Amino acid sequence: MSCWILGISALYHDSAAVLLRDGVVFAAAQEERFTRIKNDLSLPKRATEWLLEQAGIRPKDLTALVFYEKPLRKFDRILSTSVAYFPKSWRLFSPQMRSWLGDKLWLKDKLVAAFGVTTDRIFFSEHHLSHAASAFYCSPYQDAAILTIDGVGEWATTALWRGERERIEPISEIRYPHSLGLFYSAITAHLGFVVNNGEYKVMGMASYGEPLFMDEMNELLIVEEGSFRLNLTYFCHHLHPRRATTPAFDKLLGPPRHPSEVFDFDSDDPELSARSQRYANIAASAQLALEKALLKLVEHAHKECPAPALCLAGGVALNAVANQRIAAEGPFDHVWV
């Protein structure tokens, strides 16, 4: 009898489901393909119905349903952060508690209702372990260092792992509120793009500029041996429910770009051209700062885990320009993203 496992990612962005048969991917689908809602974050009910239909099975035939992160551990981070930074975090506390105590903590019940699986067959993986598995188990390598880098999971924002045959073992992690993903997202918002959707536009805008704001980037992001930290003078994602940066951030980099403002450094309007060039220079500087930080992390990863291959996953690993530098300049023989 086959072992069927349904994997679910949802309730943040781009929800999806994957069905495995005896440890091998049988089929996978994003919910947006069925609802026609771009970046649909809802529980992937229709995607799951399609998967089960393709396999010719029913929910009762599933051995397990696995959700991609641990809600209780995430709630622990939110609660602990709110308390640790109180009273500065007072704006964050109330809406977060309403959201979590009113709905998000009871995810297991929602999964039971949505997918028809009994509670004893529902499991929760760690966010960054899910990232690590998505890269390592799909790679052609039996021995690899794994770096997972994103905004934030439960507590980790960056994690280093060792992948060896069927095992993935944690080595180290960097915790919230220090995050390369949130650094780059703050730049994304400053340049007038939508966070979690427009980061690739910053990467593209960088090619039109020169890294003339490196002193400012070094003020925002402090890179250390095998690690990094944000200068929290300029960031408030851990304090405020809507704002990610403090007024000091805009004072350091200058006025932000309005989302509706035209980007055209070849414009006949000298003021528009100058502003556009400044935005491009900020993007180029942020991109270079990210690349330097990632190269340092990769060098450290090789020292800690001198495997022949490096596997990358997480939102920051979508930065193709940085990945190219890691492949060309990093110490690993092979890079799998």
Side-chain angles (χ1 to χ4, degrees):
M1 188 173 181
S2 295
C3 172
W4 294 98
I5 297 176
L6 177 67
I8 296 293
S9 172
L11 307 179
Y12 185 41
H13 62 78
D14 301 282
S15 71
V18 60
L19 188 64
L20 292 93
R21 179 174 60 189
D22 299 327
V24 178
V25 174
F26 176 82
Q30 283 185 269
E31 185 69 0
E32 71 172 17
R33 300 297 181 183
F34 302 91
T35 63
R36 316 308 296 169
I37 300 170
K38 187 172 177 61
N39 308 128
D40 193 344
L41 54 74
S42 62
L43 287 173
K45 297 179 185 178
R46 297 189 188 183
T48 297
E49 288 173 2
W50 181 81
L51 294 177
L52 297 179
E53 183 181 319
Q54 296 304 303
I57 62 173
R58 292 176 290 178
K60 70 180 184 64
D61 299 316
L62 293 172
T63 306
L65 183 156
V66 185
F67 193 74
Y68 80 111
E69 66 179 7
K70 292 181 178 287
L72 284 175
R73 194 170 297 177
K74 194 169 186 176
F75 178 67
D76 172 61
R77 185 254 298 170
I78 291 167
L79 182 59
S80 298
T81 301
S82 297
V83 171
Y85 289 98
F86 193 82
K88 291 182 178 180
S89 62
W90 69 270
R91 291 183 185 88
L92 185 66
F93 185 79
S94 181
Q96 290 280 27
M97 292 306 106
R98 281 200 302 270
S99 174
W100 278 84
L101 295 177
D103 185 37
K104 291 184 178 180
L105 271 183
W106 322 117
L107 180 58
K108 181 175 280 192
D109 293 338
K110 294 176 71 174
L111 294 175
V112 169
F115 300 105
V117 177
T118 56
T119 56
D120 60 310
R121 287 183 287 157
I122 294 178
F123 301 90
F124 297 89
S125 174
E126 292 180 21
H127 184 109
H128 275 258
L129 178 58
S130 298
H131 275 314
S134 76
F136 178 62
Y137 290 139
C138 293
S139 79
Y141 307 114
Q142 293 289 307
D143 185 16
I146 310 165
L147 265 177
T148 58
I149 314 157
D150 65 6
V152 61
E154 292 89 1
W155 272 103
T157 67
T158 300
L160 174 61
W161 314 75
R162 175 69 179 256
E164 200 166 20
R165 300 182 187 277
E166 292 83 23
R167 292 182 59 82
I168 295 177
E169 296 183 348
I171 296 176
S172 61
E173 67 180 28
I174 298 169
R175 288 189 158 198
Y176 185 87
H178 304 286
S179 166
L180 289 178
L182 294 177
F183 159 75
Y184 207 81
S185 291
I187 299 294
T188 299
H190 186 80
L191 293 176
F193 302 121
V194 178
V195 170
N196 287 334
N197 190 43
E199 282 76 5
Y200 75 97
K201 297 180 181 180
V202 177
M203 184 180 71
M205 183 185 274
S207 65
Y208 293 92
E210 298 293 333
L212 303 181
F213 286 81
M214 290 310 296
D215 287 343
E216 289 81 356
M217 295 301 153
N218 292 334
E219 178 76 10
L220 295 172
L221 176 63
I222 297 96
V223 178
E224 299 161 338
E225 185 63 34
S227 186
F228 63 84
R229 57 186 173 88
L230 299 182
N231 185 338
L232 296 180
T233 301
Y234 301 98
F235 297 90
C236 60
H237 49 257
H238 56 304
L239 303 175
H240 201 282
R242 292 177 300 278
R243 294 194 56 175
T245 57
T246 68
F249 187 94
D250 290 348
K251 187 176 180 180
L252 181 71
L253 294 181
R257 172 181 168 269
H258 191 275
S260 65
E261 183 176 348
V262 174
F263 174 68
D264 183 5
F265 58 81
D266 290 327
S267 172
D268 294 333
D269 180 349
E271 290 187 5
L272 175 59
S273 177
R275 286 199 307 273
S276 296
Q277 190 61 63
R278 183 172 68 84
Y279 298 141
N281 293 342
I282 291 172
S285 303
Q287 177 66 28
L288 182 57
L290 177 70
E291 291 169 13
K292 287 185 172 182
L294 289 175
L295 283 168
K296 285 286 188 183
L297 287 175
V298 168
E299 290 172 7
H300 176 74
H302 192 259
K303 290 177 183 176
E304 293 292 310
C305 182
L310 171 68
C311 293
L312 293 171
V316 177
L318 287 169
N319 194 297
V321 176
N323 292 345
Q324 190 277 332
R325 284 199 66 183
I326 290 170
E329 303 173 32
F332 290 90
D333 296 333
H334 310 284
V335 176
W336 177 272
V337 184

